[in-house]
Amino acid sequence: MFKLIVNADDFGLHSMVNDGIIKGHTKGIITSTSLLASGSAFDEAVSMAQQYPKLGIGVHIALVGGIPPVSDPSEVPSLVTKDGVFVDNYIEFMKRIYSGHINYSEVSKEIEAQIQKIVDTGLRITHIDGHQHMHILPTILPIVIEKSLAHHIKAMRVPNEKINFLNGVHNPVRILGKTGLSAVASQAMPIARRNGIRFNQYFWGMINGGQLTETALIGILKKVSNYGGVHEIMTHPGSNNLELNHTYNWNYHWEEELSGLISDHVRRYITQHDIELVNYGDLL
């Protein structure tokens, strides 16, 4: 049994991201997406999601990424910069954690606000995950689980990509970051299980984050077809590299990811290897 969730992150971030995700769902293999409550194109994403009921909808908890919180910045000062937005990346956020600068009551307030905003749309929520995977940090995870259960969200991404899986990537910084986050994620699995939270057994796409070309995707699918169970592939499609990389300094290959996700070659591989495309809601 090979069950595969293909999840597109950052739904609601930008109109060009929304467009890429919907194209990847209607023309390709995307089965699931994660909605960013404070994204600038949130309302558009909600309207789109209402038209595609087979698209799983997750809560994409954000505590990083240079985007604004849902709460008023003055109410969550330990989480934002002087400009009233989250720090850019997980390294900066972890520095705040380890220096004692994070107020966890503010974390709880902001996570609740993000979940509630998405719940209020009336969309069926299938799971919860996190921008740059901050939801599985040891001090953040208990808050995420508490809030998830309070809102009857019973599935969560665990980004436990196999540490020795490099899939053509040789950047030491990326490898180090993936290794650390995967190790932390593996520790989250028994905690989620004890709390009755369903999660993926295998996770792919971290090492190729933002660079998930057709070739990289086929490399992952070869692993999927070797391990029975529930897999998630994380993706970041979009429809305009120039505009998106002008807005965000992440150097993602948004259009190339979309091209791989709608590739006939990729779909044939999935069909030929009896891989069943599902979303987190199908696990419950």
Side-chain angles (χ1 to χ4, degrees), residues 190-260:
I191 299 170
R193 188 178 293 112
R194 283 198 301 270
N195 283 277
I197 301 285
R198 296 292 300 272
F199 54 88
N200 51 297
Q201 293 166 267
Y202 304 98
F203 177 80
W204 313 97
M206 189 189 302
I207 193 67
N208 297 112
Q211 323 288 327
L212 193 63
T213 61
E214 179 186 87
T215 300
L217 191 51
I218 291 294
I220 290 172
L221 289 173
K222 288 178 179 177
K223 292 294 185 181
V224 172
S225 61
N226 283 332
Y227 298 106
V230 179
H231 300 251
E232 182 194 333
I233 299 177
M234 175 184 68
T235 72
H236 298 87
S239 58
N240 189 318
N241 281 352
L242 189 63
E243 182 171 347
L244 288 170
N245 283 323
H246 177 74
T247 307
Y248 310 102
N249 62 351
W250 306 340
N251 194 31
Y252 280 6
H253 293 186
W254 319 80
E255 291 179 62
E256 291 82 353
E257 291 215 11
L258 177 57
S259 179

Side-chain angles (χ1 to χ4, degrees), residues 31-268:
T31 61
S32 176
T33 189
S34 302
L35 184 56
L36 197 59
S38 59
S40 62
F42 175 83
D43 290 340
E44 179 190 64
V46 170
S47 178
M48 288 174 159
Q50 290 167 341
Q51 299 174 54
Y52 299 99
K54 291 185 178 179
L55 180 64
I57 302 294
V59 176
H60 199 48
I61 294 297
L63 298 169
V64 296
I67 57 179
V70 170
S71 307
D72 188 293
S74 66
E75 297 178 345
V76 289
S78 75
L79 305 183
V80 298
T81 68
K82 58 181 174 56
D83 297 317
V85 298
F86 296 129
V87 295
D88 279 341
N89 55 65
Y90 70 90
I91 295 174
E92 292 302 315
F93 185 70
M94 290 171 72
K95 284 180 181 177
R96 288 194 175 198
I97 286 179
Y98 291 117
S99 63
H101 290 164
I102 294 294
N103 181 325
Y104 288 99
S105 66
E106 294 174 14
V107 173
S108 180
K109 179 183 181 65
E110 176 60 19
I111 290 176
E112 172 65 24
Q114 292 182 24
I115 295 174
Q116 189 64 58
K117 183 176 178 179
I118 294 174
V119 167
D120 287 346
T121 67
L123 293 170
R124 178 187 175 225
I125 299 174
T126 54
H127 70 286
I128 195 162
D129 58 36
H131 198 48
Q132 298 185 30
H133 312 300
M134 295 298 90
H135 70 295
I136 49 90
L137 293 182
T139 55
I140 305 298
L141 180 63
I143 300 171
V144 171
I145 288 178
E146 176 193 352
K147 299 298 183 182
S148 296
L149 294 176
H151 287 281
H152 310 290
I153 302 170
K154 298 292 183 68
M156 181 178 73
R157 165 194 287 167
V158 176
N160 58 326
E161 189 169 64
K162 288 183 177 295
I163 289 175
N164 61 356
F165 180 70
L166 301 182
N167 206 25
V169 175
H170 305 289
N171 182 323
V173 175
R174 183 174 283 262
I175 292 170
L176 183 63
K178 164 253 180 61
T179 300
L181 284 171
S182 293
V184 171
S186 67
Q187 297 171 11
M189 296 171 76
I191 299 170
R193 188 178 293 112
R194 283 198 301 270
N195 283 277
I197 301 285
R198 296 292 300 272
F199 54 88
N200 51 297
Q201 293 166 267
Y202 304 98
F203 177 80
W204 313 97
M206 189 189 302
I207 193 67
N208 297 112
Q211 323 288 327
L212 193 63
T213 61
E214 179 186 87
T215 300
L217 191 51
I218 291 294
I220 290 172
L221 289 173
K222 288 178 179 177
K223 292 294 185 181
V224 172
S225 61
N226 283 332
Y227 298 106
V230 179
H231 300 251
E232 182 194 333
I233 299 177
M234 175 184 68
T235 72
H236 298 87
S239 58
N240 189 318
N241 281 352
L242 189 63
E243 182 171 347
L244 288 170
N245 283 323
H246 177 74
T247 307
Y248 310 102
N249 62 351
W250 306 340
N251 194 31
Y252 280 6
H253 293 186
W254 319 80
E255 291 179 62
E256 291 82 353
E257 291 215 11
L258 177 57
S259 179
L261 291 162
I262 63 175
S263 157
D264 289 338
H265 181 37
V266 166
R267 186 173 287 281
R268 277 196 304 271

